Amino acid sequence: MGVYDLQVQTLDGGALDLAQFSGRAALVVNVASRCGLTPQYEALQRIHERFEPRGFSVIGVPCNQFGEQEPGSPEEIAAFCSGEYAVTFPLTAKLDVNGPNRHPLYQELTSTPDADGRSGDVQWNFEKFLVSPRGRVVGRFRPATEPESPEVLTAIEAALPATG
Amino acid sequence: MTTKRAVDVVPGDRIRLASGRELSVTRIEHDFLGVDNLVCFVEDTQQCWFAHAVFVTDDVVTVSPAAPLDTQSHIR
């Protein structure tokens, strides 16, 4: 089972078959609108635009399990993301990323350790998981790691599909 | 219902957030996200997973104090 074998709901209630990202790298990030880390949206949008032509997408996953910092309705979340940060990358429905109702996507993602060898629960909003074009999780970056930090950019470059 | 400093909260305490939501603290993470004096209270049970981060000097409303140690075996 890989990440791209799974399905999630989109923010507007439709189905998002992650198989559509097969052959592309993706950075899956649990997001929130009222977090001190929310300005990371700006850099996430930049890396989405920068690498999208080379086979990459950011996928945002709204989650309200951290400090109730994503309390809004789907419409409110969508309006915030487009209005404040001009987000164009896909957003899923609000999901649980930890605990008894953890979505299967995050069961797959959280089994991957970070650079310190720690797997398990997502720590806070804006934790980042890098998925290879074959749907394997190849990187995990904790919330305080900026989306445009050298370690994230280097990992994305390495995960992009081969050209030609 | 009482108020205590966040630094004095212990696993087993049930705290009330400003929104009215209550959280049964089962785990406390110190120096959270690498920030000195930031702690994260986590409720991690078979029913619920929720986290709330505060500075150690913040006041926290405690709904019920931690049970004595010998009755905390249900907390994981």
Side-chain angles (χ1 to χ4, degrees), chain B residues 2-42:
Chain B
T2 58
T3 299
K4 62 165 84 170
R5 285 289 172 96
V7 70
D8 296 323
V9 172
V10 296
D13 281 346
R14 185 165 179 82
I15 64 174
R16 179 171 295 166
L17 311 185
S19 66
R21 178 179 182 138
E22 294 183 2
L23 181 156
S24 294
V25 179
T26 58
R27 185 170 78 239
I28 301 174
E29 298 182 12
H30 298 273
D31 296 333
F32 187 59
L33 300 178
V35 179
D36 285 346
N37 299 324
L38 188 67
V39 292
C40 186
F41 303 133
V42 180

Short mmCIF file of all heavy atoms in Angstrom, two decimals, chain B residues 2-42:
data_model
loop_
_atom_site.label_atom_id
_atom_site.label_comp_id
_atom_site.label_asym_id
_atom_site.label_seq_id
_atom_site.Cartn_x
_atom_site.Cartn_y
_atom_site.Cartn_z
N THR B 2 -10.19 25.65 39.22
CA THR B 2 -9.12 26.51 39.74
C THR B 2 -8.20 26.93 38.58
O THR B 2 -8.30 26.41 37.48
CB THR B 2 -8.27 25.76 40.78
OG1 THR B 2 -7.74 24.59 40.16
CG2 THR B 2 -9.09 25.37 42.00
N THR B 3 -7.35 27.88 38.89
CA THR B 3 -6.38 28.32 37.89
C THR B 3 -4.98 28.02 38.41
O THR B 3 -4.71 28.21 39.60
CB THR B 3 -6.52 29.84 37.65
OG1 THR B 3 -7.84 30.10 37.16
CG2 THR B 3 -5.51 30.31 36.63
N LYS B 4 -4.14 27.50 37.53
CA LYS B 4 -2.75 27.27 37.92
C LYS B 4 -1.84 27.63 36.75
O LYS B 4 -2.30 27.75 35.61
CB LYS B 4 -2.52 25.83 38.39
CG LYS B 4 -2.78 24.77 37.33
CD LYS B 4 -2.18 23.42 37.72
CE LYS B 4 -3.04 22.58 38.63
NZ LYS B 4 -2.53 21.20 38.79
N ARG B 5 -0.57 27.81 37.05
CA ARG B 5 0.40 28.07 36.00
C ARG B 5 0.56 26.82 35.13
O ARG B 5 0.54 25.70 35.65
CB ARG B 5 1.76 28.45 36.61
CG ARG B 5 1.79 29.87 37.18
CD ARG B 5 1.76 30.88 36.04
NE ARG B 5 1.60 32.24 36.51
CZ ARG B 5 2.62 33.08 36.70
NH1 ARG B 5 3.85 32.67 36.46
NH2 ARG B 5 2.39 34.30 37.11
N ALA B 6 0.78 27.04 33.86
CA ALA B 6 0.94 25.90 32.95
C ALA B 6 2.06 24.98 33.40
O ALA B 6 1.98 23.76 33.24
CB ALA B 6 1.19 26.40 31.53
N VAL B 7 3.10 25.58 33.98
CA VAL B 7 4.25 24.77 34.41
C VAL B 7 3.85 23.78 35.51
O VAL B 7 4.53 22.76 35.71
CB VAL B 7 5.41 25.68 34.88
CG1 VAL B 7 5.06 26.38 36.18
CG2 VAL B 7 6.72 24.92 34.98
N ASP B 8 2.75 24.06 36.19
CA ASP B 8 2.32 23.20 37.30
C ASP B 8 1.31 22.12 36.88
O ASP B 8 0.90 21.30 37.71
CB ASP B 8 1.71 24.06 38.41
CG ASP B 8 2.74 25.01 39.02
OD1 ASP B 8 3.91 24.59 39.15
OD2 ASP B 8 2.37 26.15 39.32
N VAL B 9 0.88 22.17 35.64
CA VAL B 9 -0.06 21.14 35.15
C VAL B 9 0.66 19.80 35.05
O VAL B 9 1.83 19.73 34.66
CB VAL B 9 -0.62 21.55 33.76
CG1 VAL B 9 -1.44 20.42 33.14
CG2 VAL B 9 -1.47 22.82 33.89
N VAL B 10 -0.03 18.76 35.44
CA VAL B 10 0.55 17.41 35.40
C VAL B 10 -0.40 16.48 34.66
O VAL B 10 -1.61 16.75 34.57
CB VAL B 10 0.83 16.86 36.83
CG1 VAL B 10 1.88 17.69 37.54
CG2 VAL B 10 -0.47 16.80 37.63
N PRO B 11 0.12 15.38 34.13
CA PRO B 11 -0.77 14.39 33.50
C PRO B 11 -1.86 13.96 34.48
O PRO B 11 -1.60 13.72 35.66
CB PRO B 11 0.18 13.24 33.16
CG PRO B 11 1.50 13.90 32.96
CD PRO B 11 1.54 15.00 34.00
N GLY B 12 -3.07 13.89 33.97
CA GLY B 12 -4.22 13.57 34.81
C GLY B 12 -5.09 14.79 35.05
O GLY B 12 -6.27 14.66 35.35
N ASP B 13 -4.51 15.99 34.93
CA ASP B 13 -5.31 17.20 35.05
C ASP B 13 -6.27 17.31 33.87
O ASP B 13 -5.92 16.93 32.74
CB ASP B 13 -4.43 18.46 35.05
CG ASP B 13 -3.77 18.72 36.40
OD1 ASP B 13 -4.21 18.10 37.40
OD2 ASP B 13 -2.82 19.52 36.45
N ARG B 14 -7.44 17.84 34.14
CA ARG B 14 -8.38 18.16 33.07
C ARG B 14 -8.47 19.67 33.00
O ARG B 14 -8.82 20.33 33.99
CB ARG B 14 -9.75 17.54 33.33
CG ARG B 14 -10.74 17.74 32.16
CD ARG B 14 -11.94 16.83 32.29
NE ARG B 14 -12.89 17.03 31.21
CZ ARG B 14 -12.78 16.47 30.00
NH1 ARG B 14 -11.76 15.68 29.73
NH2 ARG B 14 -13.67 16.70 29.05
N ILE B 15 -8.12 20.23 31.85
CA ILE B 15 -8.06 21.68 31.72
C ILE B 15 -9.12 22.17 30.74
O ILE B 15 -9.59 21.42 29.89
CB ILE B 15 -6.66 22.16 31.28
CG1 ILE B 15 -6.32 21.65 29.88
CG2 ILE B 15 -5.59 21.71 32.28
CD1 ILE B 15 -5.02 22.22 29.33
N ARG B 16 -9.50 23.44 30.92
CA ARG B 16 -10.51 24.04 30.05
C ARG B 16 -9.86 25.16 29.23
O ARG B 16 -9.23 26.05 29.80
CB ARG B 16 -11.68 24.60 30.86
CG ARG B 16 -12.76 25.26 30.00
CD ARG B 16 -13.99 25.59 30.82
NE ARG B 16 -14.62 24.37 31.31
CZ ARG B 16 -15.56 24.34 32.26
NH1 ARG B 16 -15.95 25.45 32.82
NH2 ARG B 16 -16.10 23.19 32.64
N LEU B 17 -10.05 25.08 27.93
CA LEU B 17 -9.48 26.10 27.04
C LEU B 17 -10.42 27.29 26.96
O LEU B 17 -11.58 27.22 27.38
CB LEU B 17 -9.25 25.52 25.65
CG LEU B 17 -8.52 24.17 25.59
CD1 LEU B 17 -8.26 23.77 24.13
CD2 LEU B 17 -7.22 24.22 26.37
N ALA B 18 -9.93 28.38 26.39
CA ALA B 18 -10.73 29.60 26.29
C ALA B 18 -12.03 29.36 25.52
O ALA B 18 -13.05 29.98 25.79
CB ALA B 18 -9.92 30.70 25.62
N SER B 19 -11.98 28.43 24.57
CA SER B 19 -13.17 28.13 23.76
C SER B 19 -14.23 27.37 24.54
O SER B 19 -15.36 27.21 24.08
CB SER B 19 -12.76 27.29 22.55
OG SER B 19 -12.31 26.02 22.98
N GLY B 20 -13.84 26.85 25.71
CA GLY B 20 -14.74 26.01 26.49
C GLY B 20 -14.44 24.53 26.34
O GLY B 20 -14.90 23.71 27.12
N ARG B 21 -13.66 24.19 25.33
CA ARG B 21 -13.27 22.79 25.14
C ARG B 21 -12.42 22.33 26.33
O ARG B 21 -11.61 23.09 26.84
CB ARG B 21 -12.48 22.63 23.85
CG ARG B 21 -12.02 21.19 23.64
CD ARG B 21 -11.26 20.99 22.37
NE ARG B 21 -10.92 19.58 22.25
CZ ARG B 21 -11.00 18.88 21.14
NH1 ARG B 21 -11.39 19.46 20.04
NH2 ARG B 21 -10.68 17.60 21.11
N GLU B 22 -12.64 21.10 26.74
CA GLU B 22 -11.84 20.56 27.83
C GLU B 22 -10.89 19.50 27.31
O GLU B 22 -11.17 18.83 26.31
CB GLU B 22 -12.76 19.98 28.91
CG GLU B 22 -13.58 21.08 29.58
CD GLU B 22 -14.45 20.57 30.71
OE1 GLU B 22 -14.41 19.35 31.01
OE2 GLU B 22 -15.19 21.38 31.29
N LEU B 23 -9.78 19.36 27.98
CA LEU B 23 -8.72 18.45 27.54
C LEU B 23 -8.19 17.71 28.77
O LEU B 23 -7.82 18.33 29.76
CB LEU B 23 -7.62 19.30 26.89
CG LEU B 23 -6.37 18.67 26.29
CD1 LEU B 23 -5.78 19.60 25.24
CD2 LEU B 23 -5.32 18.41 27.34
N SER B 24 -8.19 16.40 28.70
CA SER B 24 -7.61 15.59 29.77
C SER B 24 -6.14 15.34 29.42
O SER B 24 -5.85 14.62 28.45
CB SER B 24 -8.35 14.26 29.91
OG SER B 24 -9.67 14.49 30.35
N VAL B 25 -5.26 15.89 30.17
CA VAL B 25 -3.84 15.83 29.84
C VAL B 25 -3.29 14.43 30.12
O VAL B 25 -3.33 13.96 31.26
CB VAL B 25 -3.04 16.87 30.65
CG1 VAL B 25 -1.55 16.79 30.32
CG2 VAL B 25 -3.58 18.28 30.39
N THR B 26 -2.82 13.77 29.08
CA THR B 26 -2.20 12.46 29.29
C THR B 26 -0.69 12.52 29.08
O THR B 26 0.03 11.61 29.48
CB THR B 26 -2.77 11.41 28.32
OG1 THR B 26 -2.58 11.85 26.97
CG2 THR B 26 -4.25 11.19 28.57
N ARG B 27 -0.24 13.60 28.43
CA ARG B 27 1.20 13.71 28.14
C ARG B 27 1.55 15.19 28.03
O ARG B 27 0.74 15.99 27.56
CB ARG B 27 1.50 12.99 26.83
CG ARG B 27 2.95 12.91 26.45
CD ARG B 27 3.19 11.99 25.26
NE ARG B 27 2.86 12.60 23.98
CZ ARG B 27 1.96 12.11 23.14
NH1 ARG B 27 1.27 11.04 23.45
NH2 ARG B 27 1.73 12.72 21.99
N ILE B 28 2.74 15.55 28.47
CA ILE B 28 3.20 16.93 28.36
C ILE B 28 4.55 16.93 27.65
O ILE B 28 5.46 16.20 28.05
CB ILE B 28 3.33 17.60 29.74
CG1 ILE B 28 1.97 17.59 30.46
CG2 ILE B 28 3.84 19.04 29.60
CD1 ILE B 28 2.02 18.10 31.89
N GLU B 29 4.66 17.73 26.59
CA GLU B 29 5.93 17.84 25.87
C GLU B 29 6.56 19.19 26.20
O GLU B 29 5.93 20.23 25.99
CB GLU B 29 5.69 17.66 24.37
CG GLU B 29 5.14 16.28 24.06
CD GLU B 29 4.93 16.02 22.58
OE1 GLU B 29 5.42 16.83 21.77
OE2 GLU B 29 4.27 15.02 22.27
N HIS B 30 7.77 19.17 26.70
CA HIS B 30 8.46 20.39 27.11
C HIS B 30 9.36 20.91 25.98
O HIS B 30 9.72 20.16 25.08
CB HIS B 30 9.27 20.11 28.37
CG HIS B 30 8.40 19.70 29.53
ND1 HIS B 30 7.81 20.60 30.37
CD2 HIS B 30 8.00 18.47 29.95
CE1 HIS B 30 7.09 19.96 31.28
NE2 HIS B 30 7.18 18.66 31.04
N ASP B 31 9.71 22.20 26.06
CA ASP B 31 10.52 22.84 25.01
C ASP B 31 9.93 22.50 23.64
O ASP B 31 10.65 22.11 22.71
CB ASP B 31 11.98 22.40 25.09
CG ASP B 31 12.62 22.87 26.39
OD1 ASP B 31 12.18 23.89 26.95
OD2 ASP B 31 13.56 22.19 26.85
N PHE B 32 8.63 22.65 23.56
CA PHE B 32 7.89 22.20 22.39
C PHE B 32 8.30 22.96 21.13
O PHE B 32 8.47 24.19 21.16
CB PHE B 32 6.39 22.37 22.66
CG PHE B 32 5.50 21.78 21.62
CD1 PHE B 32 5.57 20.43 21.32
CD2 PHE B 32 4.60 22.57 20.93
CE1 PHE B 32 4.74 19.87 20.35
CE2 PHE B 32 3.78 22.04 19.96
CZ PHE B 32 3.85 20.68 19.67
N LEU B 33 8.45 22.25 20.04
CA LEU B 33 8.90 22.80 18.75
C LEU B 33 10.24 23.52 18.88
O LEU B 33 10.55 24.42 18.10
CB LEU B 33 7.85 23.75 18.15
CG LEU B 33 6.47 23.15 17.86
CD1 LEU B 33 5.53 24.23 17.32
CD2 LEU B 33 6.56 21.98 16.89
N GLY B 34 11.00 23.12 19.89
CA GLY B 34 12.30 23.74 20.09
C GLY B 34 12.24 25.11 20.73
O GLY B 34 13.25 25.83 20.75
N VAL B 35 11.07 25.49 21.24
CA VAL B 35 10.92 26.81 21.85
C VAL B 35 11.00 26.67 23.38
O VAL B 35 10.21 25.95 23.99
CB VAL B 35 9.56 27.44 21.47
CG1 VAL B 35 9.40 28.80 22.14
CG2 VAL B 35 9.44 27.57 19.96
N ASP B 36 11.96 27.37 23.97
CA ASP B 36 12.09 27.38 25.43
C ASP B 36 10.78 27.86 26.04
O ASP B 36 10.17 28.80 25.55
CB ASP B 36 13.21 28.34 25.86
CG ASP B 36 14.58 27.77 25.58
OD1 ASP B 36 14.66 26.56 25.31
OD2 ASP B 36 15.56 28.54 25.61
N ASN B 37 10.39 27.24 27.11
CA ASN B 37 9.23 27.68 27.89
C ASN B 37 7.89 27.42 27.20
O ASN B 37 6.86 27.88 27.68
CB ASN B 37 9.32 29.17 28.27
CG ASN B 37 10.53 29.45 29.11
OD1 ASN B 37 10.91 28.62 29.94
ND2 ASN B 37 11.17 30.59 28.90
N LEU B 38 7.90 26.74 26.08
CA LEU B 38 6.63 26.36 25.45
C LEU B 38 6.36 24.89 25.78
O LEU B 38 7.25 24.05 25.62
CB LEU B 38 6.69 26.55 23.93
CG LEU B 38 5.38 26.38 23.16
CD1 LEU B 38 4.38 27.48 23.53
CD2 LEU B 38 5.63 26.42 21.64
N VAL B 39 5.16 24.62 26.28
CA VAL B 39 4.81 23.23 26.58
C VAL B 39 3.56 22.86 25.78
O VAL B 39 2.76 23.73 25.42
CB VAL B 39 4.51 23.00 28.09
CG1 VAL B 39 5.77 23.16 28.91
CG2 VAL B 39 3.40 23.92 28.58
N CYS B 40 3.45 21.60 25.49
CA CYS B 40 2.28 21.12 24.76
C CYS B 40 1.57 20.07 25.61
O CYS B 40 2.18 19.07 26.01
CB CYS B 40 2.69 20.53 23.42
SG CYS B 40 1.28 20.07 22.39
N PHE B 41 0.30 20.32 25.89
CA PHE B 41 -0.53 19.35 26.60
C PHE B 41 -1.22 18.48 25.55
O PHE B 41 -1.86 19.00 24.63
CB PHE B 41 -1.59 20.05 27.45
CG PHE B 41 -1.02 21.01 28.46
CD1 PHE B 41 -1.55 22.28 28.61
CD2 PHE B 41 0.04 20.64 29.27
CE1 PHE B 41 -1.03 23.16 29.54
CE2 PHE B 41 0.57 21.51 30.21
CZ PHE B 41 0.03 22.78 30.34
N VAL B 42 -1.10 17.18 25.71
CA VAL B 42 -1.68 16.26 24.74
C VAL B 42 -2.69 15.36 25.44
O VAL B 42 -2.40 14.80 26.50
CB VAL B 42 -0.59 15.38 24.08
CG1 VAL B 42 -1.22 14.41 23.07
CG2 VAL B 42 0.47 16.25 23.41
#
